[in-house]
Amino acid sequence: MSLCVTFLGTAGAIPTTERNPSSLFVAREGDQLLFDAGEGTQRQMMRFGTGFSISHLFVTHLHGDHVLGIPGLLQTMAFNDREEPLSIHTPHGTRRQINSLVNALGNRPSFPVRINEVGDGDVASRADEYEVRVFGTDHDTRSVGYALVEDDRKGRFDREHAEELGVPVGPKFSKLHAGESVELEDGTVVDPEQVVGEPRTGRSLVYTGDTRPTTATIEVADEPDLLIHDATFADDRADRAATTAHSTARQAAEIANRAGVDRLALMHLSSRYAGHTDDHLTQARAVFDGEVFVPEDGQKLEIPYPDD
Ligand SMILES: [Zn+2]
Ligand SMILES: [Zn+2]
């Protein structure tokens, strides 16, 4: 099962020539999800070849740099004769604003658009093998973050041991792996616990959107593989981070440390730092041992299973 993130837009509130406003595209096997849709998101989707088959859009908050791409994206979907429904998840109390963006030109799109208001602790959407959880963030407007969390996977099947116990190669292997006991020809019963290991945790990624550092980010998922965190400022503007309800790279790294994440992506850098990401990286690395990076627009990141 592949799980891949494409950073479509990594800019702060004001775009730069190199960075588009916020948007992330996540593909998990056949499912395609979009997180935020700043202005120009549809063109980034074209540039970086993601396609438009998203089923869900998760909005962190209603600042322009996270939502102004919605009208254009929906218009293009309609031009493409889209028929599949699109679900837009958005913080409580923002349905009306999302509705205005969806109907910006006075008529609804030709395909169904469902708006789902969400808040801290909700599951925004549930799929076969994963869910997207919502957590409260601390910004200067109604805001949430999202975590894609996979279910536990089956334990490893010990084929060698199964054969030693006399289980014939074939359907009985699958039954045991699926958690059922099997009876052998001589009447012996083999239980799954004898040949299947402990369930293995799935993968997870957490996206904060714009926020001051919050403990909710730490609690929403157990040691996520990837944390994509607001890092609008470096230490030189820590005061400004606090007054504008954003984080510094160091604060993002402290959260990453406490959450036990493997990789930290620093997002939403202010245009003041255009072309200068060294301070962000140095200050984050001072407090976080894992891998830290400042993603570029178009960068793709595959998240492997931890034990692969
Ligand atoms: Zn923003
Ligand atoms: Zn914002």
Side-chain angles (χ1 to χ4, degrees):
M1 289 286 168
S2 67
L3 178 61
C4 185
V5 180
T6 305
F7 295 90
L8 293 175
T10 59
I14 303 170
T16 68
T17 51
E18 305 300 322
R19 296 182 185 277
N20 216 66
S22 290
S23 186
L24 297 172
F25 179 89
V26 176
R28 188 190 178 276
E29 208 57 25
D31 291 355
Q32 302 187 354
L33 316 171
L34 196 64
F35 294 81
D36 285 334
E39 182 188 347
T41 291
Q42 60 161 326
R43 204 161 159 277
Q44 298 292 81
M45 294 170 86
M46 292 172 191
R47 281 180 74 192
F48 305 124
T50 63
F52 287 97
S53 304
I54 56 162
S55 47
H56 296 268
L57 165 60
F58 301 90
V59 172
T60 59
H61 65 294
L62 270 288
H63 283 160
D65 54 315
H66 298 254
V67 294
L68 285 175
I70 293 176
L73 176 61
L74 266 54
Q75 172 168 294
T76 297
M77 286 173 165
F79 283 152
N80 289 340
D81 297 325
R82 178 183 173 116
E83 291 176 355
E84 297 75 28
L86 174 70
S87 297
I88 303 181
H89 310 271
T90 187
H92 280 300
T94 62
R95 176 187 300 275
R96 212 161 45 89
Q97 288 159 280
I98 291 289
N99 228 343
S100 311
L101 288 162
V102 171
N103 298 306
L105 302 174
N107 48 343
R108 290 197 73 82
S110 51
F111 53 92
V113 176
R114 299 176 187 141
I115 300 173
N116 176 34
E117 289 192 334
V118 294
D120 185 39
D122 287 348
V123 171
S125 84
R126 169 81 220 160
D128 256 359
E129 295 172 325
Y130 66 91
E131 61 188 22
V132 177
R133 299 177 186 167
V134 185
F135 60 99
T137 53
D138 180 11
H139 197 36
D140 56 3
T141 184
R142 293 174 168 125
S143 65
V144 296
Y146 295 96
L148 186 156
V149 181
E150 290 185 339
D151 300 347
D152 282 350
R153 291 176 298 146
K154 288 181 207 164
R156 239 179 241 296
F157 185 72
D158 188 343
R159 193 188 166 96
E160 223 168 75
H161 189 47
E163 285 182 35
E164 279 166 17
L165 293 171
V167 183
V169 179
K172 287 199 166 74
F173 273 32
S174 331
K175 275 196 175 167
L176 281 164
H177 204 187
E180 290 176 51
S181 301
V182 300
E183 192 178 334
L184 307 182
E185 275 185 9
D186 64 2
T188 320
V189 172
V190 178
D191 294 319
E193 298 77 55
Q194 294 176 263
V195 290
V196 181
E198 289 292 308
R200 293 168 289 172
T201 44
R203 298 162 294 186
S204 54
L205 66 93
V206 175
Y207 170 52
T208 62
D210 295 0
T211 186
R212 295 188 183 98
T214 66
T215 48
T217 305
I218 298 162
E219 288 155 6
V220 68
D222 188 23
E223 302 189 344
D225 299 84
L226 173 66
L227 171 63
I228 302 163
H229 202 290
D230 179 331
T232 307
F233 298 104
D235 284 352
D236 61 325
R237 291 187 176 87
D239 291 353
R240 187 147 173 76
T243 54
T244 57
H246 287 290
S247 300
T248 63
R250 185 185 297 274
Q251 289 169 332
E254 279 161 1
I255 294 290
N257 223 358
R258 289 169 59 194
V261 310
D262 293 335
R263 286 199 271 194
L264 170 65
L266 301 171
M267 274 270 290
H268 202 269
L269 270 62
S270 160
S271 56
R272 295 162 186 270
Y273 302 98
H276 304 282
T277 56
D278 288 359
D279 287 349
H280 278 71
L281 291 169
T282 310
Q283 290 159 15
R285 284 178 185 141
V287 292
F288 176 62
D289 286 342
E291 185 187 333
V292 189
F293 64 107
V294 176
E296 302 293 329
D297 283 16
Q299 191 168 332
K300 286 185 165 58
L301 186 70
E302 181 73 41
I303 301 174
Y305 285 111
D307 47 5
D308 275 356

